[in-house]
Amino acid sequence: MSLADQISADLLERLQSGELRAGERLPTEHQLTDEYGVSRATVRSALRRLESLGLTVTRHGLGTFANAGTTEVRADLRQLNSLSDTIASFGLTSEMSYRSRAIRAATAEERRRLELPARAKVLATERELTADGTVVAFSYDAIPRLVFPEHLDIHTVDGSLFAVLEAHKARVATALTEVHAASGNEVGWGPRPAASNYVLLSQVHYLENARPVMYSNTFFVEGRFTFSLIRTR
Amino acid sequence: MSLADQISADLLERLQSGELRAGERLPTEHQLTDEYGVSRATVRSALRRLESLGLTVTRHGLGTFANAGTTEVRADLRQLNSLSDTIASFGLTSEMSYRSRAIRAATAEERRRLELPARAKVLATERELTADGTVVAFSYDAIPRLVFPEHLDIHTVDGSLFAVLEAHKARVATALTEVHAASGNEVGWGPRPAASNYVLLSQVHYLENARPVMYSNTFFVEGRFTFSLIRTR
DNA sequence: TAGTGGTCTAGACCACCGC
DNA sequence: CGGTGGTCTAGACCACTAG
């Protein structure tokens, strides 16, 4: 963990604990430089991270100010992380459980998104993410069968799919993501959350060489996550 | 325009002109340092910008590589546009109709988001966007009263609010956007679309000096729009 | 091992803001 | 005016990757 990461994590905690309240000015960059004993470049790197999360606003000549709503789980939409990392980065204890793992023929949609030929096969998984005992997301994922060696024990597929892919020398670099809204009981399985609205991220993940490697539909329970991003003209 | 901006713009041109093709490695940071006669920090700042646009991928120990297929994105969520422009970019001929315009006391939420004092007033509007005779979006917007001159005929407020703001020398530069999912009949008014799922973009718009100038909650009818973006690790 | 990017320092000067 | 963030420099050392 870099110095800048440690400092932004510490500031995040100070924001979430209420030590720094919404609208209040944070210490100046010079003060933070002294306080943490690092260079100003490092302080600025930490502050940039907070701002990209929408937790602070920095104004030239004035200072950096705490934004409201810093107690929710916020995820920078531009930043691509595994599901586990997204949740872990906010200090939540989460569990991921697989409902199914199967090797089957790719659907037409999967072939289109993953640029696969007819009759191609995929490893398809259904997963559920829980935090504090309640469901926070359902995810349906498909990975081309040929990413894996001939003999694959699908029961070794567990935990983060990003990690599984990396174990097979396939590192996810980018994703093309579509944002949708969904609701109803067709989403997920088992005991559903009372509020049945979902933010659906439909994503095609690519390797560094721009080859598609995973197609995911992840349904995030509305209210448990706040996806944010900064848009510019 | 900062040095880093000039360099990233120049590299962008080299990427788009085909001088640097998809998959190819860009010059090393050290080479770019010499080439442009700037420090490595400045070069890295320029490269970070390209990467955040999804145009390049930088790999530790290897180099920076041009990405492929980055021109196909339909509607980049990172790009902030007025509601009218957003809809126009989808090739829809749209109509915007105001359901209401009012000057009223700001709600607690509006005061918080817009950093307004108690008893501050806002210009509040409710708008409906239709295309081909069906509703495609509902929008609730609030602008601080003091953005406008003393005597404002609210009936002159029409069309794009971005344009209205610019007519009063307030140019929207950025927005902090939260992505949510919503559904049900509390959203909107009049004849609702049959499918009642919405992608809610909850946005605080800022001027170039980082002052908040408009708080919007826009409900996009699911299925009529596809918001997409490129995410990178 | 050589070369790459990742991080960090300790300054410097500029641009913006409120008083 | 004094204080703030915005930008930039010229180094340094570390971590990663390929051969």
Side-chain angles (χ1 to χ4, degrees):
Chain A
M1 206 184 195
S2 70
L3 267 178
D5 285 343
Q6 292 174 41
I7 291 169
S8 68
D10 188 64
L11 288 172
L12 173 62
E13 198 178 317
R14 290 165 71 176
L15 286 166
Q16 290 180 333
S17 75
E19 178 189 335
L20 300 169
R21 297 185 186 184
E24 282 185 5
R25 206 185 74 177
L26 273 64
T28 69
E29 294 180 354
H30 185 70
Q31 287 171 339
L32 291 172
T33 290
D34 290 345
E35 187 172 337
Y36 290 105
V38 299
S39 74
R40 191 166 153 228
T42 305
V43 165
R44 283 179 61 76
S45 173
L47 289 177
R48 257 200 309 277
R49 171 139 193 263
L50 293 179
E51 186 163 32
S52 81
L53 289 170
L55 297 172
T56 58
V57 175
T58 297
R59 291 192 201 157
H60 195 172
L62 289 178
T64 298
F65 298 82
N67 241 334
T70 53
T71 55
E72 311 158 22
V73 175
R74 274 172 180 267
D76 184 356
L77 250 190
R78 288 169 310 194
Q79 183 73 30
L80 177 62
N81 285 315
S82 71
L83 281 183
S84 333
D85 289 347
T86 298
I87 294 179
S89 70
F90 286 91
L92 293 185
T93 53
S94 68
E95 277 179 32
M96 178 185 294
S97 72
Y98 280 67
R99 182 203 189 197
S100 71
R101 307 167 176 82
I103 293 189
R104 58 160 170 75
T107 66
E109 178 72 1
E110 285 162 356
R111 289 202 308 273
R112 189 171 67 82
R113 301 276 191 170
L114 294 171
E115 301 169 19
L116 294 174
R119 282 195 292 281
K121 295 194 168 184
V122 292
L123 166 68
T125 62
E126 298 176 308
R127 296 180 293 161
E128 177 184 87
L129 262 98
T130 57
D132 308 327
T134 62
V135 179
V136 294
F138 294 106
S139 191
Y140 303 80
D141 305 81
I143 301 171
R145 172 67 183 84
L146 293 179
V147 168
F148 302 104
E150 185 79 20
H151 301 290
L152 170 73
D153 181 358
I154 59 176
H155 290 93
T156 63
V157 173
D158 200 25
S160 165
L161 287 178
F162 278 33
V164 169
L165 285 170
E166 278 179 27
H168 291 89
K169 298 180 183 173
R171 184 178 183 279
V172 172
T174 62
L176 177 54
T177 301
E178 290 184 6
V179 179
H180 294 278
S183 67
N185 277 324
E186 316 84 53
V187 177
W189 50 86
R192 309 296 206 295
S196 57
N197 283 333
Y198 302 90
V199 173
L200 163 59
L201 296 189
S202 182
Q203 312 191 90
V204 182
H205 299 269
Y206 295 89
L207 303 179
E208 279 122 3
N209 61 12
R211 290 248 168 72
V213 73
M214 178 163 68
Y215 175 51
S216 300
N217 281 287
T218 308
F219 296 80
F220 294 89
V221 175
E222 166 62 24
R224 296 302 303 257
F225 288 92
T226 298
F227 289 106
S228 62
L229 79 160
I230 292 175
R231 311 174 73 195
T232 52
R233 291 184 86 175
Chain B
M1 205 184 196
S2 69
L3 268 179
D5 285 345
Q6 292 174 41
I7 292 169
S8 67
D10 187 65
L11 288 171
L12 174 61
E13 200 177 317
R14 291 165 70 175
L15 285 166
Q16 290 178 334
S17 73
E19 178 190 336
L20 299 168
R21 297 187 184 182
E24 283 185 5
R25 204 184 76 177
L26 274 64
T28 69
E29 294 180 356
H30 184 70
Q31 287 171 339
L32 292 171
T33 289
D34 291 345
E35 187 173 336
Y36 289 105
V38 299
S39 74
R40 191 166 153 229
T42 304
V43 164
R44 284 178 60 76
S45 173
L47 289 177
R48 257 199 309 277
R49 172 137 194 266
L50 292 179
E51 187 163 32
S52 81
L53 291 170
L55 296 171
T56 58
V57 175
T58 297
R59 287 198 272 166
H60 194 173
L62 288 177
T64 298
F65 299 82
N67 235 336
T70 52
T71 54
E72 304 161 13
V73 181
R74 273 167 289 185
D76 188 353
L77 196 49
R78 285 172 314 211
Q79 184 73 32
L80 176 63
N81 287 313
S82 73
L83 202 41
S84 331
D85 290 346
T86 297
I87 291 178
S89 72
F90 282 92
L92 299 177
T93 53
S94 66
E95 277 180 30
M96 179 185 295
S97 73
Y98 280 67
R99 182 204 189 197
S100 72
R101 307 168 175 81
I103 293 191
R104 58 160 171 74
T107 66
E109 177 73 0
E110 286 161 358
R111 289 202 308 274
R112 190 169 66 82
R113 301 276 191 173
L114 295 172
E115 301 171 20
L116 294 174
R119 283 193 292 280
K121 295 194 169 185
V122 293
L123 165 67
T125 62
E126 298 175 309
R127 297 180 292 161
E128 175 184 270
L129 268 101
T130 56
D132 308 327
T134 63
V135 179
V136 295
F138 295 107
S139 190
Y140 302 80
D141 305 81
I143 300 171
R145 172 68 183 84
L146 292 180
V147 168
F148 302 104
E150 186 79 20
H151 301 291
L152 171 73
D153 181 359
I154 60 176
H155 290 91
T156 63
V157 174
D158 200 23
S160 165
L161 287 178
F162 277 35
V164 169
L165 286 170
E166 277 179 27
H168 292 89
K169 299 180 183 174
R171 184 177 185 279
V172 172
T174 62
L176 175 55
T177 301
E178 291 184 6
V179 180
H180 294 277
S183 67
N185 277 323
E186 317 85 53
V187 177
W189 50 85
R192 309 296 206 295
S196 58
N197 283 333
Y198 303 90
V199 172
L200 163 59
L201 296 189
S202 183
Q203 312 190 93
V204 182
H205 300 269
Y206 296 89
L207 303 179
E208 271 137 10
N209 64 9
R211 285 232 174 73
V213 73
M214 177 164 66
Y215 175 51
S216 301
N217 281 288
T218 308
F219 297 81
F220 294 89
V221 176
E222 167 61 24
R224 299 302 301 258
F225 296 93
T226 300
F227 291 106
S228 59
L229 78 159
I230 292 175
R231 312 174 73 195
T232 53
R233 293 184 82 176

